[in-house]
Coordinates of all heavy atoms in Angstrom, one line a residue:
R560 N 186.6 57.5 -23.3 CA 187.2 56.3 -22.7 C 188.3 56.8 -21.7 O 188.9 57.7 -21.9 CB 188.0 55.6 -23.8 CG 188.4 54.2 -23.4 CD 189.1 53.5 -24.5 NE 190.1 54.2 -25.3 CZ 191.3 54.2 -25.0 NH1 191.8 53.6 -24.0 NH2 192.2 54.9 -25.7
K561 N 188.4 56.1 -20.6 CA 189.3 56.1 -19.5 C 190.1 55.0 -19.2 O 189.6 53.9 -19.3 CB 188.6 56.8 -18.3 CG 187.9 57.9 -18.5 CD 187.0 58.3 -17.3 CE 186.0 59.5 -17.6 NZ 184.9 59.4 -16.9
E562 N 191.3 55.2 -18.9 CA 192.2 54.1 -18.3 C 193.0 54.6 -17.0 O 193.5 55.6 -17.1 CB 193.2 53.6 -19.4 CG 192.5 52.9 -20.6 CD 193.6 52.5 -21.6 OE1 194.7 52.1 -21.1 OE2 193.3 52.3 -22.8
L563 N 192.9 53.8 -16.0 CA 193.6 54.2 -14.9 C 194.3 53.0 -14.2 O 193.7 51.8 -14.3 CB 192.5 54.8 -13.9 CG 191.7 56.1 -14.4 CD1 190.6 56.2 -13.5 CD2 192.7 57.3 -14.4
D564 N 195.4 53.3 -13.5 CA 196.0 52.1 -12.9 C 196.3 52.6 -11.4 O 196.6 53.7 -11.1 CB 197.2 51.5 -13.5 CG 198.2 52.5 -13.7 OD1 198.0 53.7 -13.4 OD2 199.3 52.0 -14.2
T565 N 196.3 51.6 -10.5 CA 196.8 51.8 -9.1 C 197.6 50.7 -8.7 O 197.8 49.6 -9.4 CB 195.5 52.0 -8.2 OG1 194.9 50.7 -7.9 CG2 194.5 53.0 -8.6
A566 N 198.0 50.6 -7.5 CA 198.7 49.4 -7.0 C 197.8 48.2 -6.9 O 198.3 47.1 -6.7 CB 199.3 49.7 -5.6
E567 N 196.6 48.4 -6.9 CA 195.6 47.3 -6.8 C 195.2 46.7 -8.1 O 194.7 45.5 -8.1 CB 194.3 47.9 -6.0 CG 194.6 48.5 -4.7 CD 193.5 49.3 -4.2 OE1 192.6 49.8 -5.0 OE2 193.2 49.3 -3.0
G568 N 195.2 47.4 -9.1 CA 194.7 46.9 -10.4 C 194.8 47.9 -11.5 O 195.2 49.1 -11.4
W569 N 194.1 47.5 -12.6 CA 194.1 48.4 -13.8 C 192.6 48.4 -14.3 O 191.9 47.4 -14.4 CB 194.9 47.8 -14.9 CG 194.9 48.6 -16.2 CD1 195.8 49.8 -16.4 CD2 194.1 48.4 -17.4 NE1 195.5 50.1 -17.6 CE2 194.5 49.4 -18.2 CE3 193.3 47.4 -17.6 CZ2 193.9 49.4 -19.6 CZ3 192.6 47.5 -18.9 CH2 193.0 48.6 -19.8
F570 N 192.1 49.7 -14.6 CA 190.7 49.9 -14.8 C 190.6 50.5 -16.2 O 191.4 51.5 -16.6 CB 190.2 50.9 -13.7 CG 188.9 51.3 -14.0 CD1 187.7 50.7 -13.6 CD2 188.7 52.6 -14.5 CE1 186.4 51.2 -13.8 CE2 187.5 53.1 -14.7 CZ 186.3 52.5 -14.3
F571 N 189.6 50.3 -16.9 CA 189.1 51.0 -18.1 C 187.6 51.2 -18.0 O 186.8 50.5 -17.5 CB 189.5 50.3 -19.4 CG 188.6 49.2 -19.8 CD1 187.4 49.5 -20.5 CD2 188.7 47.8 -19.5 CE1 186.5 48.5 -21.0 CE2 187.8 46.8 -19.8 CZ 186.8 47.2 -20.6
S572 N 187.1 52.2 -18.7 CA 185.7 52.5 -18.8 C 185.6 53.1 -20.2 O 186.4 53.9 -20.8 CB 185.3 53.6 -17.8 OG 184.1 54.1 -18.1
D573 N 184.4 52.8 -20.8 CA 184.1 53.4 -22.1 C 183.5 54.9 -21.8 O 183.2 55.6 -22.8 CB 183.1 52.6 -22.9 CG 181.7 52.4 -22.3 OD1 181.5 53.0 -21.3 OD2 180.9 51.9 -23.0
G574 N 183.5 55.3 -20.6 CA 182.9 56.6 -20.3 C 181.5 56.7 -20.2 O 180.8 57.8 -20.0
Y575 N 180.8 55.6 -20.5 CA 179.3 55.5 -20.5 C 178.9 54.5 -19.3 O 178.9 54.7 -18.2 CB 178.7 55.2 -21.9 CG 179.1 56.1 -23.0 CD1 180.2 56.0 -23.7 CD2 178.2 57.3 -23.2 CE1 180.6 56.9 -24.7 CE2 178.5 58.2 -24.0 CZ 179.8 58.1 -24.9 OH 180.0 59.0 -25.7
A576 N 178.6 53.2 -19.7 CA 178.1 52.2 -18.7 C 179.0 51.0 -18.7 O 178.8 50.3 -17.8 CB 176.8 51.8 -19.2
S577 N 180.0 50.8 -19.5 CA 180.8 49.7 -19.6 C 182.2 49.9 -18.9 O 182.8 50.9 -19.2 CB 181.0 49.2 -21.1 OG 181.9 48.1 -21.1
C578 N 182.7 49.1 -18.0 CA 184.0 49.2 -17.5 C 184.4 47.7 -17.1 O 183.8 46.8 -17.0 CB 184.0 50.1 -16.3 SG 183.0 49.7 -15.0
G579 N 185.8 47.7 -17.1 CA 186.6 46.4 -16.7 C 187.6 46.7 -15.8 O 188.1 47.8 -15.6
L580 N 188.1 45.6 -15.0 CA 189.0 45.8 -14.0 C 189.9 44.5 -14.0 O 189.4 43.4 -14.1 CB 188.4 46.0 -12.7 CG 189.3 45.8 -11.4 CD1 190.2 47.0 -11.4 CD2 188.3 45.9 -10.2
I581 N 191.3 44.7 -14.0 CA 192.2 43.7 -13.8 C 192.7 43.8 -12.4 O 193.3 44.9 -12.1 CB 193.4 43.6 -14.8 CG1 192.8 43.5 -16.3 CG2 194.4 42.6 -14.4 CD1 194.0 43.5 -17.3

Side-chain angles (χ1 to χ4, degrees):
R560 184 177 58 88
K561 301 171 186 151
E562 294 182 27
L563 303 164
D564 62 351
T565 71
E567 301 166 329
W569 181 83
F570 170 86
F571 82 86
S572 170
D573 70 355
Y575 298 93
S577 176
C578 58
L580 172 64
I581 298 175

